[in-house]
Amino acid sequence: MPGAVGAADGRQRASAAFSLSCLSLVFSVTAFSSSYWCEGTRKVAKPFCKGQSKGERCIRFNSPEANSSNAVQYIWETGDDKFIDRKFHAGIWYSCEEIINGEGEKCRSFISLTQAADRGVLWLSIVAELLYIILLVTGVILMSVEMCYCSTVIDGLKLNAFSALLTVLAGLLGMVAHMMYTTVFQMTVNLGPEDWRPHTWDYGWSYSLAWTSFACCMAAAITTINKYTKTILEFKHKRQVLERSIRIECKFP
């Protein structure tokens, strides 16, 4: 009966670790491919109103004959009224800004916006993110093989140890990658091109998703290591009980 309870508990721990690893993988791939790691606004000058366009997003003239070159045209906007906040969002791969008085967004490579001195750190961050995802995929595969195809406990322990090691390494790589990107983005905010520097900014949902992926990865690693340790302790306990019973049988045949 205790053996059956231990086996059921081991299956539950394996299922929990597998689920957490899958969540971590989905979150990391989503965050890596998105461009909402950071969001904010840029203060840019309003364009002149063209044609029939009106509103607060362009500079209007007071003359009804605005299209006439002979008409004297006055601009009433002064100070902050001449500027407008343009929303933007940036990720590892590209940065996008909304088009004023139009639909859609204008995107450009985030790598081209970084300083030459910081570009190497950004590439290291990208490589670390890719390795993070690859190790997560490998760990998920090993966990699924352990759950579905392992016939002996020893083979299961070997796969469990490998998956625990890979998951821990993946978590460390993910943490380093996220921290390196954070450093690069802050440096780009301070030293990047004048036509990109944000007026206000904050971290977006992709950034939160990336750190949630790291938390799930470490939780899966802890669960896997815990399962491995508990299985080893159960083996040692069974071995001690067996040795004790053999010694008793030898004393009293």
Side-chain angles (χ1 to χ4, degrees), residues 89-136:
H89 54 89
I92 292 178
W93 297 107
Y94 49 90
S95 173
C96 297
E97 300 176 357
E98 67 174 340
I99 298 176
I100 300 177
N101 291 334
E103 296 181 357
E105 294 178 328
K106 179 182 69 174
C107 298
R108 46 184 165 171
S109 170
F110 181 74
I111 299 173
S112 64
L113 299 173
T114 58
Q115 296 290 303
D118 300 327
R119 210 160 287 169
V121 180
L122 181 60
W123 277 112
L124 282 176
S125 173
I126 293 173
V127 172
E129 286 284 352
L130 288 172
L131 289 175
Y132 172 54
I133 293 173
I134 291 171
L135 289 176
L136 279 177

Side-chain angles (χ1 to χ4, degrees), residues 22-166:
C22 288
L23 274 178
S24 178
L25 179 60
V26 171
F27 289 164
S28 62
V29 171
T30 304
F32 185 66
S33 58
S34 67
S35 62
Y36 285 86
W37 285 63
C38 300
E39 300 177 78
T41 58
R42 285 187 56 239
K43 192 176 285 293
V44 297
K46 291 181 181 178
F48 292 110
C49 296
K50 296 180 181 179
Q52 301 297 321
S53 61
K54 297 180 180 179
E56 300 295 330
R57 301 178 67 83
C58 61
I59 296 178
R60 300 182 302 277
F61 300 102
N62 71 323
S63 172
E65 300 177 354
N67 295 327
S68 174
S69 60
N70 297 323
V72 179
Q73 301 172 359
Y74 297 96
I75 300 173
W76 296 103
E77 284 85 350
T78 58
D80 288 340
D81 292 336
K82 292 192 298 183
F83 297 92
I84 188 173
D85 289 332
R86 173 188 285 178
K87 294 180 181 179
F88 85 98
H89 54 89
I92 292 178
W93 297 107
Y94 49 90
S95 173
C96 297
E97 300 176 357
E98 67 174 340
I99 298 176
I100 300 177
N101 291 334
E103 296 181 357
E105 294 178 328
K106 179 182 69 174
C107 298
R108 46 184 165 171
S109 170
F110 181 74
I111 299 173
S112 64
L113 299 173
T114 58
Q115 296 290 303
D118 300 327
R119 210 160 287 169
V121 180
L122 181 60
W123 277 112
L124 282 176
S125 173
I126 293 173
V127 172
E129 286 284 352
L130 288 172
L131 289 175
Y132 172 54
I133 293 173
I134 291 171
L135 289 176
L136 279 177
V137 171
T138 309
V140 167
I141 292 173
L142 290 177
M143 289 179 188
S144 61
V145 170
E146 178 197 353
M147 292 171 58
C148 300
Y149 299 106
C150 267
S151 56
T152 63
V153 179
I154 300 300
D155 291 339
L157 275 175
K158 291 178 181 178
L159 289 174
N160 194 251
F162 279 121
S163 58
L165 179 63
L166 290 176

Side-chain angles (χ1 to χ4, degrees), residues 8-18 223-224 226-227 230:
D9 183 60
R11 284 193 295 270
Q12 289 178 356
R13 291 174 188 272
S15 299
F18 178 76
T223 305
T224 307
N226 184 267
K227 177 180 178 293
K230 188 172 182 181

Side-chain angles (χ1 to χ4, degrees), residues 176-193:
V176 171
H178 303 342
M179 293 175 67
M180 284 194 295
Y181 176 79
T182 304
T183 303
V184 170
F185 183 83
Q186 291 176 352
M187 293 295 293
T188 307
V189 167
N190 296 325
L191 303 174

